[in-house]
Amino acid sequence: MGNCQINKRNIEHKIMKKRVLSGIQPTGSIHIGNYLGAMKHWVASQDKFDNIFCIVDLHSITVPQETGELRKKTRELAGLLLAIGIDPELSVVFVQSHVKEHTELTWILNCVTPLGWLQRMTQYKDKSARHEIISTGLLDYPVLMAADILIYESDYVPVGEDQKQHVELARDIAQRFNSMYGDVFVIPEPVIPRVGARIMGLDDPTCKMSKSETGQGHALYLLDSPDEIRMKIKRATTDSHRDILFNESRPGINNLLTIYELFSGKSRSEIEAHFQGKGYGVLKEELAELVIEGLKPLQERYREITADPAYLESMLKKGADKVRPIAEGVLRRVKDRIGLG
Ligand code: AMP
Ligand code: TRP
């Protein structure tokens, strides 16, 4: 009987649109690294897939948060997702803590995940070196992420380069569970963009642009004013060469050119030809204007959308109500397999 059910589900799974799931933390402010590395791609492929986008507030609390900020940031992020073009008719947007099944599945997955797998995660090693007190949640962070992915039978997980290792861990956990208890989980695939998967900090182009870096000139935020954008790009770290060429061994210029490429949609050779014989000052000025123009429509939409907080609230509630039955169904099958309940 078990096999019959599995076959039916796998067949249904193949007929339906493939499912895309991704998540983003409502911590700090959303920067162009998040946008170019992940969010922009969620919008671009929306009509091809069945999409679920999760605002992962439970991931945010793995490091201390200011009281009251998290709720505000969660709504701000929901507004930004709509402002960049996520369409609630095509995609579900919801808050992770509104669907409690994620945490229940996390516990179960914890029990099939060897501790060594988590201790090897590079993000854990980096973050734990930066905090004095390390919560158990920080170590367990990738298991919660695996639960987010597996509980919706997700096929594709579009993320920036830094999250690839976590998606691969989710695959390993799913495979381990399936081999212990029989096929329950769909094995997800990470989807990493060819360009823009790792946008670097403007102040230090050897480190990725990150929400947790608070240096003034580090990140370009989606809601930055034109003056802030001009100032940060003007001060961006470059090098002492003169020519403007894509070259990974020159991280400052390479990063600015990558941002230019993604905002302009032009090819690399067109861009290099355009800047031939020009100085870094010209590149910085043109890039600043390009980014300002590129962000303007989403900033305007953001202001319109957030003028109606009740709308955002109801969208988040509808989103959670829509995906909860999927999560309940998968969790029920998992518990049946193990013999829980
Ligand atoms: P987070 O800021 O950790 O919530 O990340 C949300 C999404 O943005 C994830 O898919 C990350 O991989 C992606 N991301 C974060 N920082 C960068 C960056 N500097 N460059 C490209 N993608 C990024
Ligand atoms: N850990 C991811 C990040 O920091 C966010 C995340 C949580 C996520 N759950 C997810 C991403 C599920 C993709 C799928 O970027």
Side-chain angles (χ1 to χ4, degrees):
M1 188 226 32
N3 276 344
C4 232
Q5 269 181 0
I6 290 163
N7 290 340
K8 184 164 167 269
R9 196 174 55 78
N10 285 348
I11 291 163
E12 279 169 1
H13 196 84
K14 285 206 171 65
I15 300 168
M16 289 182 309
K17 273 187 182 173
K18 293 278 187 191
R19 179 165 293 147
V20 161
L21 176 134
S22 199
I24 181 161
Q25 298 186 63
T27 318
S29 298
I30 306 304
H31 52 67
I32 61 162
N34 299 128
Y35 179 62
L36 300 174
M39 295 155 79
K40 186 180 140 188
H41 306 281
W42 305 349
V43 177
S45 63
Q46 256 184 127
D47 47 355
K48 280 210 267 329
F49 300 105
D50 170 15
N51 315 280
I52 304 179
F53 300 115
C54 184
I55 300 178
V56 294
D57 53 351
L58 294 168
H59 277 104
S60 291
I61 62 165
T62 55
V63 294
Q65 299 298 318
E66 262 177 60
T67 327
E69 270 294 287
L70 192 56
R71 183 163 287 120
K72 204 175 101 206
K73 288 284 178 190
T74 298
R75 272 68 191 168
E76 181 181 304
L77 179 50
L80 268 176
L81 287 170
L82 297 192
I84 63 164
I86 299 288
D87 176 352
E89 297 294 319
L90 297 173
S91 304
V92 173
V93 176
F94 78 105
V95 180
Q96 186 186 36
S97 65
H98 293 182
V99 180
K100 62 181 173 34
E101 284 71 17
H102 292 226
T103 46
E104 192 172 347
L105 181 60
T106 301
W107 176 256
I108 295 172
L109 298 181
N110 276 337
C111 297
V112 303
T113 306
L115 184 58
W117 289 8
L118 301 181
Q119 287 165 328
R120 274 202 297 276
M121 292 292 109
T122 48
Q123 191 179 75
Y124 170 70
K125 289 198 258 180
D126 288 351
K127 284 196 186 177
S128 57
R130 276 190 273 133
H131 290 88
E132 234 172 78
I133 299 175
I134 302 149
S135 70
T136 307
L138 191 64
L139 176 70
D140 204 27
Y141 176 114
V143 183
L144 176 59
M145 179 162 160
D148 297 338
I149 297 169
L150 301 179
I151 207 159
Y152 297 112
E153 308 188 293
S154 314
D155 298 289
Y156 301 125
V157 184
V159 285
E161 182 65 43
D162 63 328
Q163 295 301 314
K164 188 170 176 221
Q165 193 184 37
H166 288 162
V167 182
E168 280 163 358
L169 184 88
R171 287 170 64 90
D172 292 343
I173 294 174
Q175 269 154 356
R176 190 170 158 88
F177 184 96
N178 285 355
S179 68
M180 286 166 78
Y181 294 106
D183 277 351
V184 174
F185 292 127
V186 170
I187 310 297
E189 265 179 57
V191 182
I192 316 286
R194 199 179 43 78
V195 181
R198 194 171 169 83
I199 299 294
M200 311 308 278
L202 296 181
D203 54 347
D204 178 358
T206 60
C207 295
K208 73 157 193 172
M209 191 176 281
S210 149
K211 288 183 192 144
S212 49
E213 273 319 314
T214 48
Q216 275 260 311
H218 172 75
L220 289 175
Y221 299 113
L222 296 192
L223 296 176
D224 270 351
S225 69
D227 283 345
E228 284 168 315
I229 295 170
R230 284 191 195 103
M231 190 196 61
K232 289 180 189 177
I233 294 184
K234 196 169 171 191
R235 292 194 189 151
T237 303
T238 50
D239 54 36
S240 54
H241 296 265
R242 294 183 66 87
D243 43 355
I244 297 178
L245 298 171
F246 284 88
N247 181 344
E248 283 186 14
S249 64
R250 293 169 55 196
I253 269 307
N254 202 65
N255 193 40
L256 294 183
L257 285 173
T258 303
I259 299 170
Y260 191 98
E261 179 185 2
L262 292 165
F263 271 96
S264 69
K266 291 190 179 144
S267 72
R268 293 190 166 197
S269 53
E270 261 180 289
I271 296 169
E272 288 179 342
H274 173 74
F275 286 112
Q276 200 181 10
K278 295 182 184 152
Y280 288 175
V282 174
L283 167 64
K284 286 181 167 182
E285 268 166 37
E286 288 193 21
L287 177 62
E289 296 316 309
L290 192 64
V291 173
I292 291 167
E293 282 310 305
L295 295 182
K296 206 167 158 187
L298 81 85
Q299 294 184 344
E300 280 165 9
R301 271 201 304 276
Y302 176 79
R303 278 189 281 276
E304 284 163 26
I305 291 161
T306 50
D308 185 359
Y311 169 72
L312 269 186
E313 214 54 56
S314 85
M315 177 207 54
L316 291 174
K317 183 175 181 311
K318 274 191 209 145
D321 290 346
K322 195 159 176 193
V323 293
R324 193 175 293 107
I326 310 172
E328 285 168 345
V330 171
L331 185 64
R332 200 175 311 117
R333 282 204 298 277
V334 166
K335 290 169 82 172
D336 275 353
R337 281 301 169 124
I338 302 176
L340 292 166

